[in-house]
Amino acid sequence: MGKKPFERPVITKINAGMPAKFGLQIRHDPITDIDGVPLQSLMDQYGSPLFVYSEKTIRQTYIEAYRAFSSRYPNVLLAWSYKTNYINAICNIFHQEGAWAEVVSGFEYRKALKNGVNGGHIIFNGPYKSTDDLILAINNESLIHIDHFDELYDIIEISKSMEKKPKVAVRVNMDIGIYPAWDRFGFNYENGEAWDALNRIMHYENLELVGLHTHIGTYIMSTAPYKVASKKMADLAIGLARKFNHHIQYIDMGGGFASKNTLKGGYYPGSDTTPSFDDYAEAIISELMKAEFAPDHLPMLILETGRALIDDAGYLAGTVIANKRLADGQRASILDAGVNLLFTSFWYDHDIRPGKDVSDQTEETAIFGPLCMNIDVIRKSTAFPLLKKGDPFVIKRVGAYNNTQWLQFITMRPNVVLIDLKGKVHIIREKETLETLNQHEYTPDHLQVI
Amino acid sequence: MKIKKNLAISDTGFVFDPSTGDSYTLNPIGLEIIQLLKNNLSLEEITEHMTREYDVDSNTFERYFYDFTGMLKQMQLVIPDEA
Ligand SMILES: Cc1ncc(COP(=O)(O)O)c(C=O)c1O
C-alpha cells in the first residue's frame, strides 16, 4: 500500500527584514549512518541515547595533525590529553598512532600506566600532584611539569630521599594578547617569575630540567597568539642555553586548537572559521625556526592537542521524545539526551541533524533534554527539521570533554560504542545502571526499614 | 474552527493576510490541511482523509493537527469559535 510519508504540518511567518545570519543557507543533511553502520540499527542494539565514535576519523585526524607539524619541523610529538577523553579504547588509538600521554591528576596518571604507556612517555601537568603521585612519577621517570613554587619545593624535598633525579619542566603563562589571560597555571613570563623558577631549578643539581611548557588557553580561534607564545618559549630556552649552556630537550606548546564546533553566539559556523592544523603549525614553527637554536640543539616540539583531535570523531545519537509549544508559540523538541551527557552544550551551538531523511522544511525550535531542570537546554533556538516523536537525531562533534565531564544526574550514562576500521561495532564503555550507583552506597541498619 | 475568509493562499503554500500585511509559508501537509479547513471539513473528516492518504494513525495525526491549529490561532489566521 503506497501511503505517502507523513510530516507534521507547519506554518512559518516570513520576516522581511531578517538579518543576514538567517539568510545563510542552513542545511540539515541527515546522518543516517556512521561509517556505513545504520544509525537506527546502532540504537536498536545499544540503546538510545548512545555515544558513537569513529576509529577511522580519529586516526585520520591524528595523521592530519601530525603531518601538519612533522612536515615543517624535524622533531614533533603529540601527547594525548587524557582529560579531553580518557575512555581507554580512545586513548589507545592515539597511543597506537604514536602519541604519549598528557595527564593532570594521579587518577589519569595511573590510567595511562594501565593502558601500557611507558612512564617516561607520560607528561604530568596540573596544579595538584600528591606526594604519592610525585614519588610514582619520579620513579617512572615521567615528565613532571611544575605549576608553582610550592610544588617545586615539594619535589626538591621528595627527591632528597630518592635515587632517581626528577625530570622536570616549568609551566609558563604569558600575555599573548588575548583576554582574559590564563595566569593561574604555571609561572608568569612577563614579570620574570618563569625565568626565576628556571634559575632556581638550574641551581639545584638534583633536578633535571628537561623542557618548557605552556598551554595558552582552549579554543583559540586565531593563530597569532601561538606565534607570540612560541617566541617567548624560544626566548626562555635560548636564555638557558646562554646562561647555563643547558639545552632543554623539548618545548611543549600545550593544546588549545579550536575544533570545528560553533561557539555559542558565533556568527559564522565554526566549520568556516576554525584555522587548520597547517595554519597553527605554521604559526608555531615559523617562530621556533627564527629563534637562535643551534641546529644540533633544536628542541623537540610537543603538542597536547585535545579537542581538535577528537571532537569530530564523536557523535551523540538519540531519539525525539516529544514536541510541544511554549507559551509564546515557539516550538520545542525534547530529546532523550540532555546537558548531563552533553556538557559542551554550555559552550557550543551544537550541530544537530535528523537521523533519517526529512524534507527541507524547518521551524525555529528550542531543543531541550529530558531532565526536569530548567538548565537542560541543548539549543535555545535553531531552525530545526520537523522531527516527530520517536524520530532519531544525531549531534555532531561531541568527542571532546563530554565523556569525561558528563554527570550521572537524573538519568544514567549510556553506552559508548566504537566503530572500528572494518565497520565492526564494539562497546567501549558500558551503560550505567541503578546497580552501578547502588554499589557505592551503604544504608545504615537503622535506616534499612522505612 | 474557520479560516479567515480574506486570506490569500497560493498552491505553493504561500499565505498572505491582507488585514495585517503578514505573510507565511506552509509545508505541503500544512497547505493540505488549511485547504480542507477552508472547505469547512470537520476534524473527523480531515483525519479520515489524512490517515487514508498518509502513513499516519489517527491519534498521531490529531496531536499534530491541534498543534498546527494552535499556531493558526496564535497567528490570528482563524476566526475565533463562537462560545
Ligand atoms: C595542560 C593542558 N594541555 C592540553 C589541554 C587540551 O586542550 P585542548 O582540548 O584545548 O586542545 C588542556 C586543556 O585545557 C590542558 O589544560
Side-chain angles (χ1 to χ4, degrees):
Chain A
M1 270 210 346
K3 282 195 185 182
K4 292 184 264 182
F6 180 76
E7 176 179 82
R8 60 188 168 82
V10 59
I11 180 163
T12 319
K13 188 166 173 184
I14 301 169
N15 287 347
M18 283 286 215
K21 177 168 185 180
F22 299 96
L24 286 176
Q25 180 75 28
I26 302 165
R27 290 199 57 94
H28 295 275
D29 292 335
I31 297 178
T32 54
D33 73 274
I34 297 172
D35 288 1
V37 183
L39 187 75
Q40 194 60 57
S41 79
L42 281 170
M43 287 200 282
D44 289 346
Q45 193 168 354
Y46 302 100
S48 171
L50 178 69
F51 279 95
V52 184
Y53 283 89
S54 158
E55 182 174 345
K56 188 166 111 199
T57 305
I58 298 175
R59 290 189 191 271
Q60 279 173 352
T61 312
Y62 182 93
I63 290 167
E64 195 194 319
Y66 186 77
R67 274 201 195 130
F69 286 86
S70 63
S71 61
R72 293 176 165 84
Y73 197 79
N75 196 357
V76 177
L77 180 91
L78 300 187
W80 175 238
S81 156
Y82 264 49
K83 72 167 161 304
T84 308
N85 188 318
Y86 45 56
I87 294 179
N88 295 331
I90 303 284
C91 296
N92 281 359
I93 297 173
F94 287 113
H95 296 321
Q96 280 186 355
E97 289 291 339
W100 289 11
E102 184 271 326
V103 303
V104 291
S105 72
F107 145 72
E108 287 187 4
Y109 184 90
R110 288 165 181 82
K111 214 169 197 292
L113 281 183
K114 282 208 166 187
N115 281 337
V117 181
N118 178 322
H121 294 176
I122 303 178
I123 293 170
F124 201 164
N125 280 321
Y128 175 50
K129 308 168 188 87
S130 73
T131 304
D132 284 349
D133 296 340
L134 288 171
I135 292 172
L136 186 63
I138 294 167
N139 272 327
N140 285 327
E141 299 177 15
S142 302
L143 309 167
I144 303 173
H145 289 187
I146 303 174
D147 188 80
H148 43 74
F149 280 115
D150 281 333
E151 185 169 77
L152 171 59
Y153 286 105
D154 274 353
I155 296 172
I156 290 174
E157 209 41 50
I158 292 167
S159 70
K160 285 181 183 159
S161 57
M162 295 189 69
E163 274 167 28
K164 285 194 174 147
K165 225 178 177 182
K167 289 180 191 285
V168 299
V170 161
R171 174 155 177 178
V172 181
N173 69 60
M174 58 184 77
D175 178 5
I176 39 150
I178 52 173
Y179 300 92
W182 279 29
D183 60 2
R184 58 174 277 194
F185 303 111
F187 300 86
N188 186 252
Y189 174 87
E190 283 77 23
N191 70 11
E193 198 187 29
W195 182 240
D196 183 23
L198 293 169
N199 275 277
R200 290 201 217 175
I201 293 171
M202 287 311 299
H203 286 123
Y204 194 83
E205 62 183 28
N206 217 18
L207 299 186
E208 185 184 355
L209 179 67
V210 287
L212 290 170
H213 173 229
T214 190
H215 171 71
I216 58 176
T218 192
Y219 208 94
I220 309 288
M221 287 164 76
S222 77
T223 58
Y226 283 100
K227 267 181 113 66
V228 179
S230 314
K231 184 167 185 320
K232 291 182 176 175
M233 296 291 273
D235 282 352
L236 288 175
I238 298 292
L240 287 167
R242 285 214 183 104
K243 180 164 175 189
F244 298 100
N245 195 26
H246 180 72
H247 305 283
I248 52 156
Q249 293 167 21
Y250 64 85
I251 289 180
D252 178 346
M253 292 299 297
F257 303 158
S259 76
K260 294 192 185 66
N261 262 309
T262 305
L263 278 189
K264 257 196 187 326
Y267 193 77
Y268 294 108
S271 49
D272 294 352
T273 54
T274 303
S276 65
F277 288 122
D278 279 304
D279 298 333
Y280 287 117
E282 188 58 37
I284 291 171
I285 290 166
S286 62
E287 286 303 320
L288 292 184
M289 292 307 237
K290 265 190 243 165
E292 296 167 37
F293 291 115
D296 51 339
H297 289 309
L298 206 56
M300 172 159 79
L301 171 61
I302 299 183
L303 297 149
E304 302 169 348
T305 308
R307 71 178 77 236
L309 283 182
I310 190 67
D311 235 1
D312 275 7
Y315 301 81
L316 177 55
T319 310
V320 175
I321 302 170
N323 289 304
K324 67 199 298 187
R325 292 270 168 211
L326 305 179
D328 65 355
Q330 195 193 358
R331 164 157 293 275
S333 285
I334 306 172
L335 312 181
D336 62 358
V339 294
N340 55 330
L341 305 182
L342 201 64
F343 187 85
T344 51
S345 51
F346 296 120
W347 308 335
Y348 294 145
D349 280 341
H350 272 295
D351 184 356
I352 310 181
R353 301 295 183 87
K356 62 175 215 183
D357 290 322
V358 287
S359 76
D360 286 342
Q361 190 77 37
T362 60
E363 194 178 355
E364 272 309 299
T365 307
I367 309 226
F368 299 137
L371 308 183
C372 194
M373 291 286 290
N374 217 24
I375 55 160
D376 196 12
V377 183
I378 307 278
R379 294 292 304 268
K380 209 161 179 191
S381 182
T382 178
F384 198 58
L386 308 181
L387 296 188
K388 299 190 295 289
K389 173 182 164 61
D391 283 348
F393 68 86
V394 182
I395 305 179
K396 287 184 72 179
R397 301 195 179 100
V398 305
Y401 296 103
N402 285 307
N403 293 140
T404 47
Q405 296 193 65
W406 53 356
L407 298 173
Q408 181 282 307
F409 178 55
I410 304 184
T411 62
M412 298 288 160
R413 298 178 179 108
N415 278 325
V416 181
V417 298
L418 175 77
I419 302 173
D420 73 15
L421 299 178
K422 297 198 178 94
K424 192 164 179 258
V425 184
H426 308 260
I427 290 190
I428 56 171
R429 191 177 190 282
E430 196 171 53
K431 66 170 182 251
E432 295 175 358
T433 64
L434 177 58
E435 277 315 298
T436 320
L437 274 194
N438 277 349
Q439 265 175 20
H440 294 272
E441 293 197 20
Y442 300 96
T443 310
D445 280 347
H446 72 287
L447 298 175
Q448 292 280 356
V449 183
I450 53 169
Chain B
M1 156 161 334
K2 287 208 172 73
I3 300 290
K4 266 191 194 164
K5 280 207 188 62
N6 57 353
L7 283 191
I9 304 169
S10 83
D11 288 346
T12 52
F14 183 77
V15 180
F16 177 67
D17 181 353
S19 57
T20 60
D22 287 334
S23 2
Y24 304 85
T25 58
L26 292 158
N27 67 343
I29 302 237
L31 175 63
E32 197 166 337
I33 295 175
I34 229 173
Q35 277 160 346
L36 297 171
L37 282 169
K38 248 201 144 170
N39 291 334
N40 288 324
L41 265 66
S42 66
L43 168 63
E44 290 71 32
E45 289 165 318
I46 294 175
T47 307
E48 226 299 319
H49 170 85
M50 297 301 284
T51 52
R52 197 172 55 238
E53 296 277 316
Y54 291 92
D55 186 14
V56 63
D57 63 71
S58 55
N59 274 339
T60 309
F61 176 72
E62 216 174 288
R63 219 171 52 223
Y64 290 115
F65 177 82
Y66 281 121
D67 178 71
F68 180 65
T69 52
M71 285 309 285
L72 298 182
K73 273 187 211 146
Q74 187 110 28
M75 293 165 167
Q76 301 182 359
L77 301 177
V78 290
I79 306 163
D81 286 332
E82 276 127 70

